[in-house]
Amino acid sequence: MSIILGFHYNVCMRIVFFSPNAAITPHFSAEVRLARILSKNSKNEIIFLTCNSFYGSECTVSRYLTQGKSLRKKTQEHCSTCSKAIKVSKIEKDFIKLNLTSYFGKKEAAIISDYLPQIEENPIQFVFNEIEFGKISSYELILEFKKSNLVFEGNQKETLINFTENAFRTYLAAHQFIKVWHPDRVVIFNAQYSQGASFAAIVTGK
C-alpha cells in the first residue's frame, strides 16, 4: 500500500522518497519506477533518503530476508543486500541519494539514550510528543506473529524494543532532515510500517 502526501503532477517540486528498505524488492522497485516517471519533468528534484546501516540489531529488512529462519538479527550481509539493490537501481547516478545517518548526531543520540530505559521496560506503551511509537511499531509484528493482542513477551518483546527504538530514531533523524531540505512532497511506500509511520508523523506535523 503506497502513500503519497500532497502530490500533484506537472509542478516543479522537491520530492523525497523515504526509502530505508531497498532490499525489499517489491517496495524499492515501485519507488524507483515512480521516481523515473516524476523525473520526466526535468524541473523536479528527486531525493532518495536511504538507511545506510542506520538501524540497530534488527530492522524490517533483516526480518524480511530471514523469513522462516531462526536467525533474525541484522547482519552486515543484510545491509549489503540493501546497498547492492541501491547500486543496481542507479539512483545515485540519476537522483540525489542521502542517508538517515547524516541527520542523526550527538543530540539525537543523547535523546535515545535518555529514553531507552522506558522503551526497554514497556515498549508497547512508549510515547513521545504524543506519538505512540510502541503501538506504531507493533503493526508489522502483529501481522508476523499473528497476534490477537498487544502482549509481547520473550523474543517478541525484544523485537518490539528494537522496532520501537528504530521508529524513534527515524523520527529524530526525520526532524533534522526536514529542517534542512524542506521537501514539497514526500513519498512513503507503506506508512503503516514503523519507520514510515514515524517519518510521516514529522511530515504531517502529527
Side-chain angles (χ1 to χ4, degrees):
M1 179 180 181
S2 299
I3 176 170
I4 305 177
L5 304 178
F7 187 78
H8 300 279
Y9 290 98
N10 300 321
V11 179
C12 177
M13 295 181 292
R14 172 176 285 168
I15 305 168
V16 171
F17 283 77
F18 178 62
S19 187
N21 302 315
I24 304 179
T25 304
H27 292 201
F28 189 56
S29 60
E31 292 167 355
V32 174
R33 286 197 301 272
L34 179 56
R36 297 201 185 285
I37 292 170
L38 295 173
S39 68
K40 291 180 179 180
N41 179 348
S42 60
K43 293 183 180 180
N44 283 337
E45 182 179 55
I46 308 295
I47 298 172
F48 271 81
L49 183 61
T50 64
C51 171
N52 193 32
S53 302
F54 178 67
Y55 300 113
S57 61
E58 206 165 13
C59 68
T60 299
V61 164
S62 69
R63 298 192 72 79
Y64 173 80
L65 293 176
T66 56
Q67 288 180 2
K69 298 180 182 179
S70 59
L71 177 64
R72 309 304 294 258
K73 298 301 182 183
K74 191 180 77 169
T75 67
Q76 187 56 46
E77 182 181 353
H78 300 146
C79 293
S80 296
T81 303
C82 275
S83 297
K84 289 176 183 176
I86 289 170
K87 184 176 181 179
V88 169
S89 72
K90 298 181 179 180
I91 63 170
E92 292 181 273
K93 174 179 176 292
D94 299 333
F95 311 115
I96 298 171
K97 188 188 83 68
L98 305 172
N99 62 75
L100 286 164
T101 56
S102 299
Y103 302 92
F104 190 89
K106 293 181 179 180
K107 177 182 176 182
E108 290 71 37
I111 294 173
I112 290 290
S113 180
D114 288 343
Y115 283 93
L116 190 56
Q118 290 185 33
I119 296 173
E120 292 176 339
E121 181 179 357
N122 193 355
I124 195 67
Q125 295 299 331
F126 179 66
V127 177
F128 182 84
N129 279 357
E130 300 183 351
I131 299 172
E132 296 180 313
F133 287 99
K135 291 180 180 177
I136 286 172
S137 302
S138 71
Y139 169 75
E140 56 192 289
L141 301 181
I142 288 172
L143 296 180
E144 179 182 334
F145 298 135
K146 298 179 173 60
K147 296 183 68 64
S148 59
N149 56 50
L150 294 178
V151 178
F152 290 80
E153 299 176 338
N155 290 335
Q156 290 185 3
K157 181 178 179 181
E158 182 181 351
T159 297
L160 181 58
I161 289 170
N162 292 332
F163 271 48
T164 302
E165 181 183 353
N166 288 347
F168 193 27
R169 287 171 61 88
T170 299
Y171 176 84
L172 296 174
H175 185 264
Q176 296 303 315
F177 174 83
I178 295 298
K179 285 201 305 185
V180 173
W181 285 92
H182 304 287
D184 297 299
R185 304 291 181 263
V186 173
V187 180
I188 302 174
F189 188 88
N190 192 335
Q192 292 176 302
Y193 286 4
S194 58
Q195 300 152 328
S198 299
F199 199 89
I202 287 290
V203 173
T204 59
K206 295 181 180 179

